[in-house]
Amino acid sequence: MDEDTPLLVIVDGANVVGSVPDGWWRDRRGAAERLRDRLATDGLPGRTDPVEIVLVVEGAARGVESVPGVRVDSAPGSGDDRMVELVAEAGGHRCLVVTADRELRRRVAELGAEVAGPRTVRP
């Protein structure tokens, strides 16, 4: 693993947005945009090393645009499958997947990724 490469942080948009019952279900796209904007502003709280943030969205949140500091990846199908693909494509670079989904956590951990829960990126 290349320690000079920024940590790749892959955020499970649906899972993180869904972790707080704040009415997100009425406007899934807007909720994903608010999460994207918070990630762009705050980065990964508690980390001072460089990070590359990828927010994976699916369903009604597809089409949310990337902004400086956050690349948005609209999963063509399952968001979980896309996050597993992103970890596999990272080629051994350090990855952190932010999700509470147990099955997804297991799948990405098998590929060498670290995992953290939604509170890692939520206020």
Side-chain angles (χ1 to χ4, degrees), residues 1-2 6 8 20 30 42 47 60 66 81 83 92 96 115 118-119:
M1 287 190 210
D2 184 355
L8 175 60
V20 176
D42 299 342
R47 293 206 73 129
S66 296
D81 290 346
M83 286 177 273
L96 172 67
V115 293
R119 288 190 183 131

Side-chain angles (χ1 to χ4, degrees), residues 27-113:
D27 182 10
R28 294 169 194 259
R29 184 184 179 100
E33 289 171 340
R34 288 187 297 278
L35 174 58
R36 175 205 60 198
D37 294 347
R38 188 168 54 252
L39 290 167
T41 300
D42 299 342
L44 192 61
R47 293 206 73 129
T48 56
D49 54 323
V51 296
E52 176 187 351
I53 299 175
V54 178
L55 174 62
V56 177
V57 296
E58 61 188 350
R62 280 190 193 105
V64 169
E65 298 291 325
S66 296
V67 297
V70 178
R71 178 168 57 97
V72 179
D73 189 309
S74 292
S78 159
D80 290 4
D81 290 346
R82 181 61 187 138
M83 286 177 273
V84 170
E85 289 173 6
L86 288 170
V87 171
E89 291 168 4
H93 294 298
R94 298 177 307 139
C95 295
L96 172 67
V97 177
V98 179
T99 186
D101 182 300
R102 285 188 189 131
E103 177 61 14
L104 177 58
R105 290 169 76 104
R106 182 193 64 74
R107 291 173 68 192
V108 297
E110 286 178 354
L111 295 173

